[in-house]
Amino acid sequence: EQNMPEQLEELRKSSLGALVVLSFAHEAKDSYTAGHSRRVTDIATALGKKLLLTEDQLSDLRWGSLLHDIGKIAVKEDTINKPGKLTLEEYEHVMTHPAVGASIVRPVIKNERITDIIEYHHYHYDGYGFKQNFKGSDIPLLARITALADTYDAMTSARSYRDALSRVQALSAIRLSTGRQFDPVVVNAFMEMS
């Protein structure tokens, strides 16, 4: 009975670890996205430290950013790897991955901060993201951090439909989207790191 909290924490870490392995296995099938979740996690964690998050917040940020794209296991591979522009129907299909990912993880770990990262990492700060129902500081901070890390890594990595942007090009695009797609406070901290 005295070891119960430690055993529960070990069980939680094992469950999260299994989900991360599942996510990495899916990423490994696509040469364009292999390593994406790890890079997003590194960026998000550094950004979280810059924003002076607590150790508990940083831990949840690490897990949530590692798992942010787990819902893509339900997205058709030919859509994810399409070399050209997505149709509206294909885009809507891809954009189901945050809700699907949160629904996969939620019953296993029961940690709202982690599932919020997964579910809201594509929400735009101004409220104009895909089927978005709230905005600004109502979007959980850890999701706003992951959104920036995810976008930066996606922009600076080659994809089937475009070449990678340079660091300078990506930073410029992020600056232009400050206050619209990204939280200005998160962007300022990111720029100070870059």
Side-chain angles (χ1 to χ4, degrees), residues 6-46:
E6 293 165 4
Q7 291 171 343
L8 286 173
E9 181 60 19
E10 280 303 311
L11 181 60
R12 183 181 87 89
K13 285 182 180 176
S14 294
S15 297
L16 284 165
L19 291 168
V20 168
V21 167
L22 179 64
S23 182
F24 287 174
H26 183 264
E27 258 185 30
K29 291 167 51 177
D30 178 4
S31 63
Y32 290 103
T33 59
H36 171 68
S37 292
R38 288 181 184 97
R39 292 188 303 272
V40 169
T41 300
D42 290 344
I43 296 165
T45 302

Side-chain angles (χ1 to χ4, degrees), residues 93-139:
H93 174 60
V94 170
M95 291 307 292
T96 63
H97 81 271
V100 169
S103 71
I104 290 168
V105 173
R106 189 172 282 115
V108 178
I109 60 161
K110 301 185 186 330
N111 180 312
E112 193 172 319
R113 282 199 303 219
I114 293 172
T115 55
D116 282 353
I117 291 168
I118 297 165
E119 190 161 8
Y120 305 124
H121 75 276
H122 280 292
Y123 269 33
H124 289 200
Y125 190 74
D126 65 4
Y128 290 100
F130 180 76
K131 293 190 179 180
Q132 190 169 329
N133 52 11
F134 52 90
K135 64 182 180 176
S137 61
D138 289 336
I139 303 166

